[in-house]
Amino acid sequence: MSTSPVFKNFINGEWVDSSSGKTFENRNPANKSELVGTFQDSTEKDVEAAVAAAREGFKKWRLVPAPKRAEVIYEMGRILVERKEQYAREMTREMGKVIKETRGDVQEAIDTCYYGAGEGRRLFGQTTPSELPNKFQMCVRQPIGVCALITPWNFPMAIPSWKIIPALICGDAAVIKPATDTPLSTYNIVKAAQDAGLPPGVLNLVTGSGSRVGTPLLRSKEVRLVSFTGSSEVGRKLAIACAEDFKKLSLEMGGKNAIIVMDDADIDLAVDGAIWGGFGTTGQRCTATSRIIAHKSIVGEFTKRYAARARSLKVGNGLDASVDVGPLVNQSQLETVSSYVDIGLKEGAKLVSGGHRLDSGDHANGYFYAPTIFGEVQPGMRIAQEEIFGPVVSILTAENLEHAIELANGTVYGLSSSIYTHDINNAFVAMRDIDAGITYVNSPTIGAEVHLPFGGTKQTGNGHREGGMTVLDIFSEWKSIYVDYSGRLQKAQIDNN
Ligand code: UN1
């Protein structure tokens, strides 16, 4: 594409330029000469305007009955269905993953809309008996206020939807700052919200860098909640910054997700799972399979079949329907992947497939890397411990189930996990003992559905879960209400001794 559309910020229901007058470019990682669009390089002033708009938007939106808020969200879902193919193609062009997966990303946003809209007629609270006569009590969910949503590039529409939809259904207002690599998909979901009839100020979009947009946004005194998905390094800084004002903070960060393959597993099924989990989205999911922990009696056979399959994957431009694996998102991810492969080689792991850039012919203009597998990886190696966020999988060997679970649990992360086995006893022990937010049996570490809690233990998060009904606990606060209809002062039991 030769034209370069200019995309604006969305503040108080209007599409506006940044006060800086500057823009930044969004380029296709499969073909760097293709400009996808230019976006606003915003500043603190734009953030202030967006937060002020959200504060005003919140005043009205919180009073709109939740079933009515839901009607706007149903309409958003319908609009996304209508535009699914266009938005998927734009997403592949801005971040590289293959078209089937970007259709899936838009679909996840659609599912989130329909699931979240259903909450408009639930948002259940509780009533309880009182210890006193003629007294009624209940607890209800209350909106929180202005939320800052800071989102990553790997699920450029799905992850924004995980935050936007529950915020809206709970009656909050929000300012979203998308990753600079993928502003277009966030622009598209915000446009769908506008076209669905969301009132001005309730949802605002400000694009730009972490330091000029993200930092002032999360430091704003008006912001009551920060919801972040991204690296542990940035998450730690956010946690420290939010602690100063005791802002509510939900974090969803790294993973070093393992598939355990037991000696009784269907090896071909496990290979299928490890190919999809390891190289789907070019390994750039927080839930990506980055370790295989194979039982010693099948590790050789598994490695042989897995490496052969990895070598047969077609890497290329994600808009080509025959391509299995797209590029990495940018130069810096490419460098990270290359440097981890060097580290793995220095650490003495055995390279069994890939291990190099693809940079000639059709690959010359993009950030392509061959699907890479290391065998004979030791648990203490950096490639077995650190999140790489690319198409690099490490195979470790386990003596037995107990050892496999110990290895699976032996990192600082605890997002997703999986076991391949036909033994129901093995499966239940793994479900109980793997320390992670998600465990799959006989399927890979990716593929979470929107109506179950999503998140992880240890350094993956800070105890919150997006998705499912648990996301409501992030975006609302409980209020307990006591109604005394006795007509006299009744002291609580503790005050009546
Ligand atoms: C992520 O891993 O970054 O579970 C999000 C999945 C998707 C979401 C992944 N539904 O694979």
Side-chain angles (χ1 to χ4, degrees):
M1 192 171 115
S2 54
T3 55
S4 165
V6 179
F7 296 92
K8 303 194 176 193
N9 287 333
F10 189 61
I11 298 178
N12 204 21
E14 310 267 333
W15 295 99
V16 292
D17 288 324
S18 161
S19 57
S20 73
K22 291 190 194 142
T23 56
F24 64 92
E25 290 183 344
N26 180 9
R27 289 186 172 269
N28 183 343
N31 176 8
K32 290 175 262 178
S33 52
E34 182 183 320
L35 192 57
V36 177
T38 51
F39 287 81
Q40 304 305 310
D41 192 0
S42 310
T43 65
E44 184 162 2
K45 232 174 127 189
D46 304 310
V47 171
E48 280 166 10
V51 170
R55 190 188 55 219
E56 293 310 306
F58 172 64
K59 287 183 187 160
K60 295 189 187 133
W61 186 244
R62 63 183 274 271
L63 300 177
V64 174
K68 290 283 167 204
R69 293 181 211 140
E71 285 173 18
V72 177
I73 294 168
Y74 278 121
E75 180 59 9
M76 264 179 87
R78 196 197 59 76
I79 291 171
L80 291 176
V81 169
E82 215 170 75
R83 300 179 188 166
K84 180 172 168 182
E85 188 61 21
Q86 178 203 334
Y87 286 177
R89 296 184 79 80
E90 288 176 352
M91 193 187 295
T92 293
R93 287 178 52 231
E94 78 169 340
M95 70 74 72
K97 66 184 171 183
V98 300
I99 183 73
K100 271 192 187 158
E101 291 190 36
T102 52
R103 286 186 193 122
D105 196 307
V106 180
Q107 185 60 46
E108 187 151 341
I110 294 166
D111 296 341
T112 302
C113 285
Y114 290 149
Y115 176 73
E119 273 311 316
R121 288 191 181 270
R122 288 190 293 262
L123 287 183
F124 295 138
Q126 291 182 340
T127 60
T128 67
S130 168
E131 58 197 32
L132 298 171
N134 297 324
K135 195 172 169 199
F136 175 85
Q137 50 204 37
M138 60 186 163
C139 61
V140 296
R141 289 190 186 276
Q142 298 268 87
I144 293 185
V146 177
C147 304
L149 314 179
I150 303 178
T151 52
W153 45 261
N154 66 336
F155 274 81
M157 189 174 287
I159 291 180
S161 80
W162 293 0
K163 302 181 193 298
I164 291 172
I165 301 305
L168 296 183
I169 203 69
C170 288
D172 297 314
V175 178
I176 185 162
K177 185 213 111 47
T180 46
D181 283 308
T182 54
L184 180 53
S185 298
T186 309
Y187 178 98
N188 285 340
I189 193 173
V190 170
K191 182 83 177 69
Q194 180 195 24
D195 293 346
L198 191 71
V202 179
L203 177 62
N204 304 275
L205 164 72
V206 183
T207 57
S209 72
S211 57
R212 284 190 301 279
V213 177
T215 303
L217 180 58
L218 71 98
R219 289 200 176 275
S220 165
K221 296 286 176 208
E222 303 277 356
V223 167
R224 294 274 301 273
L225 159 72
V226 178
S227 175
F228 169 78
T229 301
S231 71
S232 301
E233 191 193 337
V234 174
R236 183 171 287 111
K237 287 187 189 147
L238 259 66
I240 292 164
C242 288
E244 276 182 27
D245 300 318
F246 302 106
K247 286 193 173 95
K248 192 169 181 181
L249 172 67
S250 97
L251 295 172
E252 205 276 287
M253 302 172 292
K256 192 70 191 170
N257 316 292
I259 290 181
I260 294 174
V261 186
M262 291 304 295
D263 47 352
D264 60 89
D266 175 337
I267 301 229
D268 286 327
L269 185 68
V271 166
D272 279 347
I275 287 286
W276 174 227
F279 304 120
T281 325
T282 322
Q284 300 171 116
R285 295 197 195 198
C286 345
T287 48
T289 305
S290 59
R291 294 180 296 155
I292 306 292
I293 300 168
H295 189 279
K296 63 181 178 192
S297 66
I298 49 92
V299 68
E301 186 56 28
F302 176 89
T303 303
K304 200 171 89 198
R305 294 192 212 173
Y306 188 36
R309 280 285 302 284
R311 282 192 286 267
S312 74
L313 292 172
K314 182 170 171 188
V315 179
N317 186 320
L319 285 179
D320 172 348
S322 69
V323 161
D324 301 300
V325 179
L328 289 154
V329 72
N330 56 31
Q331 178 69 28
S332 131
Q333 283 301 121
L334 182 68
E335 282 164 16
T336 303
V337 167
S338 303
S339 74
Y340 271 107
V341 170
D342 291 344
I343 290 168
L345 290 169
K346 278 201 200 98
E347 286 177 316
K350 185 175 165 203
L351 189 63
V352 291
S353 111
H356 54 88
R357 275 192 71 170
L358 299 167
D359 52 10
S360 59
D362 286 351
H363 297 127
N365 234 352
Y367 309 113
F368 296 101
Y369 203 91
T372 298
I373 300 171
F374 280 110
E376 297 173 21
V377 175
Q378 298 306 313
M381 291 179 179
R382 286 182 63 192
I383 56 166
Q385 290 292 327
E386 298 173 19
E387 185 176 49
I388 300 173
F389 226 67
V392 182
V393 179
S394 295
I395 302 179
L396 293 88
T397 306
E399 293 294 318
N400 51 36
L401 180 64
E402 198 187 357
H403 183 216
I405 293 174
E406 187 188 313
L407 291 173
N409 290 343
T411 75
V412 295
Y413 298 113
L415 180 51
S416 189
S417 58
S418 151
I419 181 166
Y420 279 76
T421 181
H422 279 149
D423 181 327
I424 194 159
N425 298 347
N426 285 344
F428 270 88
V429 170
M431 286 186 256
R432 185 191 62 198
D433 291 346
I434 296 180
D435 189 354
I438 305 171
T439 297
Y440 293 88
V441 177
N442 291 328
S443 66
T445 56
I446 64 177
E449 301 183 26
V450 301
H451 46 284
L452 276 184
F454 182 94
T457 60
K458 298 190 278 182
Q459 293 192 20
T460 291
N462 61 345
H464 294 286
R465 291 290 184 275
E466 296 187 301
M469 51 188 286
T470 47
V471 74
L472 301 176
D473 290 331
I474 299 176
F475 287 95
S476 63
E477 300 247 38
W478 285 110
K479 176 180 270 188
S480 298
I481 299 173
Y482 300 87
V483 183
D484 189 320
Y485 55 97
S486 70
R488 61 196 172 88
L489 172 64
Q490 297 200 91
K491 290 186 179 167
Q493 184 160 288
I494 58 150
D495 296 315
N496 240 341
N497 287 296

